[in-house]
Amino acid sequence: MEQLQITKRKASNLLRTLLSMLCVFCMCIMALPATVRADEGLTLSTDYPGITVKPGDTASFSLYLINGEDTELNADLSTAALPEGWEGYFRGSDSEVSSIHVYGNQTKEESPQLSYSLSVPEDAEEGDHQVVLKADAGSAGNAELNLTIHVTKEESGQGNFSAEYPELQGATGTSFSFDTTLVNNSLSAQSYSLSANAPEGWQVTFTPSSESSQVASLPVEAGASEGITVDVTPSENVEKGDYTINCTAVSANETLNLDLKVTITGTYGVNLTTSTGNLSTSAYANEETKVTLKIENTGNVDLANLQLSSSASTDWNVRFDETTIETLEAGASKEITAYIQPSEDAIIGDYVTSITVSNDYASSQMDLRVSVKNHTTWGLIAVVIIVILVAGLGMIIRKYGRR
């Protein structure tokens, strides 16, 4: 009897062990990933079901219609949902189609050539719009594809033509150099024709940063940029003012504009001479001599606050009837009197007196040769004395020479 109970306990333990093992096995089976098998029926798909367009654009979607069944079938194609005013149709090869024949057990690569062309109206509202495409094979099944079309007026993939410093200034005769960058944001390489609309007589050239030669066109890879130096040379007789140079980069897909601004501040120039053009004069020790100066504005901009100054020999004195010219118009001239007084002990000879006229933008210096002389009065007296002496000597000789 005792032996029988032991046997029953062993059998019970063995049964519990087998049940535990069976449970573990079932859990392991359930934990294994499910076997992937091909979907049955029709599936309609595209690589890019969501795109961005501008009002008035057209778009094309490459479609893949896959038949998971063993049998061949025909499917009718239709647009199940389309915003009002929009237009769309299916294309197979080069023709508009309304149905398609699909073989059984096809892969994506084996899918027949099919696309959907969509036209967005000019007045389309900005935002997301839904388009639903449908392939209906009747009892064999059907498939739908939802497309999301985002409409925006902003340029998508638009290139860019910009300058680091689009505004420069300088005096007449200055040449200007702009550092610009041309960016191709499209998905394909573009060749851009470069041109500029500048005032008559101006010269504008384009030189790629990586080259030394000027170009009229420039290729730019997709998603890349190129640096361009735009050199602007104004005409010789350009007047003071602001000038705009419109530069364009034109490719097969887009036209990019860049406005460069040049400010001509004008030409500053002044010339100092005498009213006669003679750069020499005479003077006497400790006496003033007048010299008429001529100051001419040789630029095309008015000169303000012109100052007169001088540099002369030691103890000489130079003064002007005007030391400041408040305004001297472009092309105008003005006469000013300079008074030059040699020192009291100046000896006979030639001296140089420098006179300068200047402001913050222009200056001119004139070197005037001053000849110091004695008065002729004492010379006349000496001549008279000599004449009297000669006459007296002659009388003596006539009176006593006969004896």
Side-chain angles (χ1 to χ4, degrees), residues 144-322:
E144 289 188 351
L145 173 62
N146 293 321
L147 303 176
T148 300
I149 315 300
H150 180 72
V151 177
T152 178
K153 294 181 181 179
E154 296 181 0
E155 298 287 350
S156 179
Q158 177 78 14
N160 186 40
F161 195 14
S162 61
E164 183 178 4
Y165 301 104
E167 298 184 11
L168 298 177
Q169 70 175 19
T172 302
T174 301
S175 294
F176 303 88
S177 183
F178 296 86
D179 293 326
T180 69
T181 302
L182 179 60
V183 181
N184 176 15
N185 284 324
S186 68
L187 299 177
S188 60
Q190 302 282 343
S191 180
Y192 293 89
S193 296
L194 305 173
S195 62
N197 183 17
E200 184 178 358
W202 290 44
Q203 292 184 351
V204 181
T205 60
F206 301 89
T207 305
S209 300
S210 57
E211 301 180 15
S212 58
S213 301
Q214 301 170 3
V215 299
S217 62
L218 184 67
V220 184
E221 295 296 325
S225 63
E226 290 287 345
I228 304 174
T229 299
V230 181
D231 292 312
V232 178
T233 303
S235 59
E236 293 183 358
N237 58 347
V238 64
E239 297 182 355
K240 176 184 177 181
D242 295 332
Y243 299 86
T244 299
I245 300 93
N246 177 252
C247 301
T248 58
V250 182
S251 71
N253 299 327
E254 61 184 356
T255 298
L256 305 178
N257 292 282
L258 170 61
D259 286 338
L260 302 176
K261 183 178 179 181
V262 168
T263 299
I264 303 296
T265 57
T267 300
Y268 297 93
V270 65
N271 183 56
L272 174 63
T273 185
T274 64
S275 58
T276 61
N278 186 8
L279 299 182
S280 64
T281 188
S282 299
Y284 299 98
N286 204 33
E287 293 184 13
E288 283 189 337
T289 296
K290 295 194 301 183
V291 178
T292 303
L293 307 176
K294 182 180 180 180
I295 303 168
E296 183 180 8
N297 184 346
T298 58
N300 56 14
V301 181
D302 294 351
L303 295 175
N305 194 33
L306 287 168
Q307 301 290 327
L308 285 161
S309 60
S310 64
S311 175
S313 300
T314 304
D315 295 332
W316 285 45
N317 182 42
V318 180
R319 65 182 181 89
F320 308 97
D321 59 355
E322 291 183 55

